[in-house]
Amino acid sequence: MAASSPATLHRAVVEQMVRQAVYQRLGRSLPRGAKAPNPLVVNVSARHCHLTQQAVEALFGKGHQLTVHKRLYQEGQFAAKETLTLIGPRSRVISNLRILGPCRTLNQVELSYTDGIALGFDLPLRISGDIKGTLGCMLMGPGGFFEMEQGVIRAMRHVHMSPADADFYGVKAGDIMKLHIGGPCAIALDKMLVRLDPSFKLEAHIDTDEGNACNLAPDTPGELTR
Amino acid sequence: MAASSPATLHRAVVEQMVRQAVYQRLGRSLPRGAKAPNPLVVNVSARHCHLTQQAVEALFGKGHQLTVHKRLYQEGQFAAKETLTLIGPRSRVISNLRILGPCRTLNQVELSYTDGIALGFDLPLRISGDIKGTLGCMLMGPGGFFEMEQGVIRAMRHVHMSPADADFYGVKAGDIMKLHIGGPCAIALDKMLVRLDPSFKLEAHIDTDEGNACNLAPDTPGELTR
C-alpha cells in the first residue's frame, strides 16, 4: 500500500509544481496535460480489508480502536497497524492482511487474482461496496474470529477525483476511463471506473497484479484518457 | 503454463476455422482481422526455467533425460515432469519450479515481478537469452545442486510468429507490437517483442502478473496491432 506522510508531498505533486514553474520561467504556455487542475497520482492497492467497528471489536477485543500505521493519499484514510489472518473457503490462509481505516459500514476484503489463485477460488470482479452474492471468509485476530458471510472481491480498478478533475477530463461519476502507464513494461488499463467526491484527491488505484504487470515505480509516468 | 495436447486443437484455431466457414456460407468476405494467415493464441508463461543437459544431469543424476509432462503450443517444446527448488540470493525459496524442454545451450530462470518481490530482489527485464550481468541463483534437484551464476530474469513479453504472420502485420524480427486483451479487466500490453522463425506458430507470451492483471481465460479476446 503506497502511502505518503502528511509532512511530505507526493512526487507527482512536486513534479507538477516544478513543471508549472519551469514553463512560467520560460514564458511558455503549459501543454494540455500540465494544465490539469491536479497532478495524477497512481498507487498500488495491495490486498487489504475494510471492517465495521463491530468486526474490529470481535477481532481485537471490546472497545478496540484502529491505530494509524501510515496515512494514505486520500484525506482521512489510513493503513492501520492492525493486521489479520484470512482463512479462505478451502481453508487456505493469507497472513498479515492489512486493515484500512477508518471503520466503514460494511466488511470487505480486496484481493488480487494472484491471491485468489493461492486461496483456490475465483474472485468476483466488483465495484467496491457491491458485495452482494460474493463468497465470504473467516477472519482471525488476536481477540477472536469474525465470519464474513460475503465480501471477498477483486475491486474494479478505479480513479478517485473531485468535480474539478471530472470537468477537466470531461467525465462523470461511474464513467470508464483508460490509464496509460509508461516505462519498459508499459500498459494501458481500460475500464478505470470514475469515483467522484468533492473530498477526493486525484488518484488511480490499481492492484498488485496490475502494478507488477507494468512494474509501477514512483517515477513511472501515468496518464488518464477517456 | 497453458498447453495443448497434440491430439486437440487450440480454441483460437477452432474459432478461426468456424469464423471462416460461417463467412463463406454467408457469401461474405472476411473482415480484416479474420484474414490473418493464422489465429492468435495468447498464453500465460508461468515461472519456469530452461536448462542445459549438463545442469539437468547435475540436478537429476548422470544421463538423466527430461520427460514430457505436457506439450506446449510451439512445436517440439514441452513442460517437463521434472521440477526444481530455486534458492534466491537472500535464501528465500520457490518450490516446484517447472523445467521447459528440450534442453538449451544456456540456463535461464523466468519469473514474474510478484516472484521477485517474494524472493526479495529486483528482477531485470530482459529479452530471453540476454542474461549477461544478471543475478544467479542456486537450483536444487533430487540428484544435487546446480549453481547458476546468472540468468534470473523477467522475460520481456513477446509474440512468436512466422514470416507469413510478420508479412500480414507488417513487422519484422525485433519490432515492438501492442497486444489488446478484452473482457471485464481489459488491458493493452505495449512493447510486445516480435520473435520470428519459420517454425513458430503465432503465439503471444505474457507472464502471470500480466495474465492476472487482465484475468486471461481461454475465451478472452486478444488482438495484435503495430
Side-chain angles (χ1 to χ4, degrees):
Chain A
M1 174 62 52
S4 61
S5 95
T8 60
L9 288 170
H10 192 282
R11 181 184 180 113
V13 179
V14 176
E15 283 178 352
Q16 168 135 327
M17 289 166 65
V18 172
R19 200 178 295 119
Q20 288 175 339
V22 168
Y23 276 92
Q24 194 177 13
R25 182 72 75 92
L26 294 172
R28 293 195 193 159
S29 68
L30 284 164
R32 188 185 180 279
K35 280 182 187 157
N38 295 297
L40 172 66
V41 171
V42 181
N43 275 326
V44 171
S45 244
R47 69 174 81 101
H48 63 269
C49 69
H50 301 285
L51 297 177
T52 61
Q53 179 60 30
Q54 182 201 357
V56 167
E57 297 195 13
L59 290 157
F60 296 93
K62 186 104 188 108
H64 186 90
Q65 297 285 323
L66 292 179
T67 46
V68 175
H69 170 57
K70 275 188 193 174
R71 299 241 161 239
L72 302 180
Y73 188 60
Q74 293 299 324
E75 203 62 41
Q77 302 297 304
F78 62 90
K81 284 194 180 129
E82 290 82 353
T83 61
L84 291 171
T85 299
L86 178 159
I87 303 146
R90 295 177 61 189
S91 295
R92 298 188 192 168
V93 164
I94 286 182
S95 307
N96 301 317
L97 180 69
R98 184 69 60 185
I99 304 170
L100 299 195
C103 284
R104 298 197 177 179
T105 56
L106 105 180
N107 298 299
Q108 179 174 289
V109 174
E110 300 178 32
L111 303 177
S112 68
Y113 281 133
T114 296
D115 294 328
I117 291 164
L119 291 175
F121 71 103
D122 284 335
L123 286 174
L125 179 74
R126 291 293 181 96
I127 293 173
S128 179
D130 170 26
I131 58 170
K132 201 173 168 189
T134 61
L135 233 51
C137 66
M138 183 65 84
L139 298 175
M140 182 174 72
F145 288 87
F146 181 82
E147 185 173 1
M148 274 177 58
E149 290 188 5
Q150 55 182 16
V152 183
I153 63 169
R154 181 195 207 186
M156 191 172 165
R157 41 180 97 127
H158 57 270
V159 52
H160 296 262
M161 61 174 67
S162 68
D165 299 315
D167 279 354
F168 174 76
Y169 289 107
V171 294
K172 58 186 193 306
D175 278 0
I176 296 296
M177 299 187 74
K178 192 182 271 202
L179 175 64
H180 304 261
I181 304 287
C185 304
I187 65 175
L189 294 151
D190 296 351
K191 310 201 175 175
M192 296 289 299
L193 180 77
V194 172
R195 295 183 55 186
L196 192 63
D197 191 275
S199 72
F200 283 163
K201 293 157 88 172
L202 184 64
E203 181 187 27
H205 273 159
I206 62 178
D207 76 5
T208 44
D209 288 336
E210 294 159 347
N212 288 335
C214 62
N215 200 19
L216 189 76
D219 59 346
T220 308
E223 191 193 355
L224 270 178
T225 61
R226 269 202 295 181
Chain B
M1 174 63 53
S4 60
S5 94
T8 61
L9 287 171
H10 192 282
R11 182 184 179 112
V13 178
V14 175
E15 284 178 353
Q16 168 135 329
M17 289 166 65
V18 171
R19 200 178 295 119
Q20 288 177 338
V22 168
Y23 276 92
Q24 193 177 14
R25 182 71 76 89
L26 294 171
R28 293 196 192 157
S29 67
L30 284 164
R32 188 184 180 280
K35 281 183 185 155
N38 295 298
L40 172 67
V41 171
V42 181
N43 276 326
V44 171
S45 246
R47 72 174 79 102
H48 64 269
C49 68
H50 301 285
L51 297 177
T52 61
Q53 178 60 30
Q54 183 201 356
V56 167
E57 297 196 12
L59 291 157
F60 295 93
K62 186 105 189 107
H64 186 90
Q65 298 285 323
L66 292 178
T67 47
V68 175
H69 169 57
K70 274 189 193 172
R71 298 242 162 237
L72 302 180
Y73 188 59
Q74 293 299 323
E75 203 63 40
Q77 303 296 305
F78 61 90
K81 284 194 178 127
E82 290 83 354
T83 62
L84 292 171
T85 299
L86 178 159
I87 303 146
R90 294 178 62 188
S91 295
R92 297 189 192 167
V93 164
I94 286 183
S95 307
N96 301 317
L97 180 69
R98 185 69 60 185
I99 305 170
L100 299 195
C103 284
R104 297 198 178 178
T105 55
L106 105 180
N107 298 299
Q108 178 174 290
V109 173
E110 300 178 31
L111 303 177
S112 68
Y113 282 133
T114 297
D115 293 328
I117 291 163
L119 290 176
F121 71 102
D122 283 335
L123 286 175
L125 179 74
R126 291 294 182 96
I127 294 173
S128 179
D130 170 26
I131 58 171
K132 200 173 167 187
T134 60
L135 233 51
C137 67
M138 183 65 84
L139 298 175
M140 182 173 72
F145 288 88
F146 181 82
E147 185 174 0
M148 272 177 59
E149 290 189 3
Q150 55 181 17
V152 183
I153 63 169
R154 180 193 208 188
M156 190 173 165
R157 43 181 96 127
H158 57 269
V159 52
H160 295 263
M161 61 174 66
S162 68
D165 300 315
D167 280 353
F168 174 77
Y169 288 108
V171 295
K172 57 185 192 309
D175 278 0
I176 296 296
M177 299 187 75
K178 192 181 269 200
L179 175 64
H180 305 261
I181 304 286
C185 304
I187 64 174
L189 295 150
D190 297 351
K191 311 205 176 174
M192 297 289 298
L193 180 77
V194 172
R195 294 182 55 186
L196 192 63
D197 191 276
S199 73
F200 282 164
K201 292 156 89 171
L202 184 64
E203 183 188 26
H205 274 159
I206 62 177
D207 76 4
T208 45
D209 288 337
E210 295 158 347
N212 288 335
C214 62
N215 200 20
L216 189 76
D219 58 346
T220 309
E223 190 191 356
L224 271 177
T225 60
R226 269 203 293 182

